[in-house]
Amino acid sequence: MELRKRKSSSGSESKAKCRNKEGYCCYTFGKNTFEVDSKYGAMKPIGRGAYGVVCASINKDTKEKVAIKKISNIFDNRVDALRTLREVMLLRHIRHDNVICLKDVMRARERTSFKDVYLVYELMDTDLHQIIKSSQPLSNDHCRFFIFQILRGLRHLHDANVLHRDLKPANLLVNANCDLKICDLGLARTCGVDGEFMTEYVVTRWYRAPELLLCCDNYGTSIDVWSVGCILAEILAREPIFPGTHALNQLKLIIDVLGTPNEGDLHFVDDPRSKKYIRSMPCVKGRPFSELIPDADPLAIDLLQKLLVFDPTKRITVSKALEHPYLADLYDPMCDPPSPQAPITLDIDHNWEEKMIREMMWNEMLHYHPEDVLSS
């Protein structure tokens, strides 16, 4: 069961120029410059985003292929800097087959004045969003294997006391052999920490659970479970199930499919205005998933019905989802027990200013470069 590898991004693939400089090597791609540890070679741009550019490279010491993400002028936006710090701190603690591995945070040359951060991850071939929108056929086995791996990685995060909060196909990296890894933990948070980013924007709209759309502050791991349901539906149908244009439209699309929630299913809504809005909407019966995705495996539809439940307290848990008959051939609790993972608590204050964030980022760099601790 293999997938086609993505093509390298075009447009910036001019040959890089390299020069040694105090153990660093400088690669230039058009207007983009990567100044990296000299142990990384054969740089090639493979992606671009709001944060900057990602290059494929190779660690010449270990012969391992890696992806290097440069975040330029990171301290120009304090919120983005905090999100990057959060991801770096989380990934230092987390090691799991289905969560992306952060291999290195390159040490900056100047402790108090560095502006750019280079994160080195294991290299993956593509992401689930690209696969879904491609013309490549996806079998039921593909779907089952993807969902199984998402749930395995998510169980590990939840066991570590971490909510991902932004699960979507673009944040699920995939190799040609169908290995899948959850990435982008910049919006993740640890559970049960008062005031820690509780009200900030979470989850891309199409994958956002009803409790978030209804402005509930007291949410938990069930928001990630809802996102898995949206992803499962999208793999099966090859299109998003709830492509809302704004928050209220998103809620309407959900209710059009699930039907109008009864009064008992609104107990979790703690915002009076949100509850009043739901009650004011026209009563609809809903549509069965088997009608929306008629060619899907009936067991996939059954799992979908348990993932996409309006009331978060009635939504299936990740552990129970792994035990669902749809995944019976893949999951054996005796052979695949939860990984031992101590709960993680991050000591991050969202009011930190640039100086403190920079110092904390420097400390994270030193975790990957212990030989430089004394000299720092």
Side-chain angles (χ1 to χ4, degrees):
M1 186 168 63
E2 293 189 351
L3 297 168
R4 291 191 295 268
K5 293 185 178 182
R6 68 180 168 196
K7 296 179 180 178
S8 299
S9 61
S10 59
S12 302
E13 294 191 27
S14 56
K15 190 173 181 180
K17 297 178 180 178
C18 181
R19 57 186 175 84
N20 291 322
K21 185 178 182 181
E22 300 176 16
Y24 290 82
C25 203
C26 190
Y27 293 84
T28 302
F29 310 93
K31 296 181 180 180
N32 298 296
T33 299
F34 272 56
E35 189 172 354
V36 301
D37 189 305
S38 57
K39 70 180 179 182
Y40 296 108
M43 302 279 289
K44 182 171 65 174
I46 57 171
R48 181 188 301 271
Y51 49 80
V53 176
V54 178
C55 282
S57 183
I58 188 166
N59 183 326
K60 291 183 285 188
D61 293 344
T62 64
K63 311 304 180 185
E64 182 180 28
K65 294 179 180 179
V66 297
I68 302 177
K69 177 164 72 172
K70 177 186 179 182
I71 305 173
S72 303
N73 301 311
I74 187 171
F75 303 108
D76 287 357
N77 186 310
R78 190 176 63 85
V79 172
D80 286 347
L82 279 168
R83 288 178 179 172
T84 301
L85 176 63
R86 177 180 298 275
E87 176 172 37
V88 167
M89 292 179 72
L90 282 172
L91 289 179
R92 175 163 54 85
H93 292 283
I94 293 170
R95 286 292 182 270
H96 189 268
D97 290 344
N98 299 121
V99 179
I100 196 69
C101 181
L102 181 62
K103 298 285 188 179
D104 187 12
V105 182
M106 278 186 236
R107 188 182 69 82
R109 287 191 292 148
E110 299 293 336
R111 177 173 183 167
T112 60
S113 60
F114 69 91
K115 297 180 179 180
D116 305 327
V117 171
Y118 294 87
L119 307 179
V120 183
Y121 301 90
E122 56 188 318
L123 181 64
M124 302 293 285
D125 291 320
T126 187
D127 62 61
L128 192 56
H129 171 70
Q130 296 297 329
I131 293 170
I132 290 172
K133 76 174 189 178
S134 75
S135 60
Q136 179 166 352
L138 292 178
S139 68
N140 190 46
D141 284 342
H142 281 115
C143 182
R144 291 168 66 247
F145 193 44
F146 288 146
I147 293 301
F148 170 66
Q149 292 180 91
I150 296 168
L151 290 170
R152 280 190 82 238
L154 194 55
R155 180 180 64 178
H156 188 80
L157 292 178
H158 288 177
D159 287 348
N161 201 39
V162 174
L163 308 184
H164 187 281
R165 303 204 306 166
D166 196 22
L167 282 176
K168 56 185 177 181
N171 286 343
L172 300 168
L173 302 181
V174 182
N175 269 341
N177 63 0
C178 294
D179 287 341
L180 178 148
K181 296 176 187 287
I182 297 170
C183 73
D184 200 345
L185 274 69
L187 282 175
R189 74 166 180 89
T190 49
C191 306
V193 181
D194 292 337
E196 187 186 13
F197 284 21
M198 283 296 290
T199 58
E200 73 165 340
Y201 172 86
V202 290
V203 187
T204 304
R205 184 189 309 115
W206 293 355
Y207 310 92
R208 202 178 303 174
E211 56 267 38
L212 296 176
L213 294 166
L214 293 167
C215 305
C216 299
D217 291 330
N218 187 25
Y219 56 82
T221 55
S222 56
I223 67 166
D224 288 338
V225 173
W226 176 274
S227 299
V228 174
C230 295
I231 293 164
L232 171 56
E234 189 166 339
I235 298 171
L236 292 169
R238 304 298 287 259
E239 61 182 10
I241 186 170
F242 303 127
T245 54
H246 52 78
L248 294 182
N249 176 248
Q250 186 71 25
L251 195 59
K252 179 182 182 302
L253 293 182
I254 291 170
I255 291 176
D256 284 346
V257 171
L258 300 189
T260 300
N262 60 43
E263 197 63 29
D265 287 338
L266 295 177
H267 69 94
F268 67 91
V269 184
D270 46 27
D271 179 55
R273 290 178 299 177
S274 296
K275 189 172 289 190
K276 182 179 180 181
Y277 177 77
I278 289 287
R279 289 168 174 159
S280 71
M281 296 178 71
C283 187
V284 296
K285 184 179 179 181
R287 298 177 61 192
F289 291 117
S290 57
E291 178 184 303
L292 292 172
I293 317 172
D295 297 328
D297 183 330
L299 287 176
I301 294 297
D302 187 73
L303 177 56
L304 193 58
Q305 290 170 338
K306 292 176 169 60
L307 294 165
L308 294 180
V309 175
F310 194 89
D311 181 350
T313 65
K314 297 179 181 179
R315 212 169 289 154
I316 195 172
T317 64
V318 168
S319 294
K320 289 296 183 182
L322 279 167
E323 296 172 0
H324 190 275
Y326 184 56
L327 305 175
D329 293 343
L330 296 171
Y331 178 66
D332 182 343
M334 299 300 294
C335 299
D336 187 25
S339 304
Q341 171 70 63
I344 298 171
T345 300
L346 296 186
D347 185 18
I348 292 179
D349 186 336
H350 66 273
N351 292 314
W352 281 345
E353 295 299 332
E354 176 181 327
K355 182 178 179 181
M356 186 62 182
I357 301 172
R358 188 192 303 273
E359 181 65 16
M360 292 295 289
M361 188 68 76
W362 174 264
N363 289 337
E364 290 301 312
M365 293 173 180
L366 294 183
H367 279 292
Y368 292 87
H369 300 273
E371 71 279 3
D372 296 330
V373 171
L374 293 178
S375 62
S376 66

